[in-house]
Every structure is written in C-alpha cells, then in structure tokens.
C-alpha cells in the first residue's frame, strides 16, 4: 500500500498540484493571521512544507538561508521536525564530548 501511495505522490501532476497548494497556503497565511490565534503560522508552515517537498529550487534556497542564518534555520528544522537535523545535532554533541562510539568509529 505504501508503494502505491509513494508512486502516486511521485507522479509529476500530483507534485505540481501539491506545489500549487503549498504556494496558495503561503499566500493565505496573512489572511489566516488576522483571525485571533496562531492560525497564520500553521498555515504558512504547512505551505512551506509542501513547497519544500516538491521543489528543488525551494530546497536550495532553504539550504542557502540556513547557512546564512543558522540560528533561524535551527528553529525551522525544529518546527519541521527534520530527522537530518536531529542526527546532525546528536553528532555535534558527541563530537564536543569526545565520544568516538557515538560517531560510529
């Protein structure tokens, strides 16, 4: 079942549709921000996640942004719950402590 879903999500038309939905969510986030509560933040985050999932250009810009603003990039990794960020943080902490077994040596 997972293979069928992944194959469907990898179809070019579905990727274009998801990208367009993500852009629409990003555009709609200021409107949702007018409503009391933190709704605009969640709408923007959902749109950003969809755009990053489907666009290589957006991924490259995101990486550039993270290198330019590492502290803000860490917050966005935390918000998106990126496994690669957790792995890098664990490796960085292990390197500071000097634990070679945590690094895989």
């Amino acid at each position: 079942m997972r293979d069928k879903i992944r194959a469907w999500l990898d179809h070019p038309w579905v990727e274009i549709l998801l990208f367009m939905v993500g852009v629409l969510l990003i555009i709609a986030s200021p409107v949702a921000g007018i409503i009391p509560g933190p709704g605009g933040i969640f709408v923007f985050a959902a749109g950003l996640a969809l755009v990053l999932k489907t666009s290589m250009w957006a991924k490259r810009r995101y990486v550039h942004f993270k290198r330019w603003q590492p502290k803000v990039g860490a917050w966005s990794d935390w918000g998106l719950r990126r496994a690669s960020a957790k792995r890098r943080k664990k490796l960085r902490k292990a390197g500071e402590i000097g634990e070679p077994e945590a690094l895989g040596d």
Side-chain angles (χ1 to χ4, degrees), residues 2-90:
R2 281 188 178 174
D3 293 334
K4 288 183 181 181
I5 293 172
R6 283 196 181 127
W8 184 75
L9 288 175
D10 287 338
H11 192 275
W13 287 106
V14 175
E15 284 188 350
I16 291 170
L17 179 69
L18 289 175
F19 177 78
M20 291 170 55
V21 168
V23 170
L24 287 174
L25 286 174
I26 290 172
I27 292 171
S29 65
V31 175
I34 295 172
I35 300 169
I41 295 170
F42 295 115
V43 172
F44 181 81
L48 181 64
L50 284 173
V51 168
L52 287 175
K53 172 89 174 124
T54 57
S55 170
M56 277 310 271
W57 176 85
K59 287 178 189 178
R60 285 193 299 269
R61 298 299 306 159
Y62 175 73
V63 168
H64 175 72
F65 173 75
K66 280 182 50 176
R67 288 183 181 151
W68 178 56
Q69 294 287 331
K71 193 175 266 188
V72 178
W75 277 98
S76 61
D77 281 340
W78 176 80
L80 292 171
R81 295 193 167 112
R82 295 175 50 95
S84 60
K86 291 177 185 177
R87 187 174 54 249
R88 284 191 306 271
K89 186 176 180 181
K90 182 179 177 181

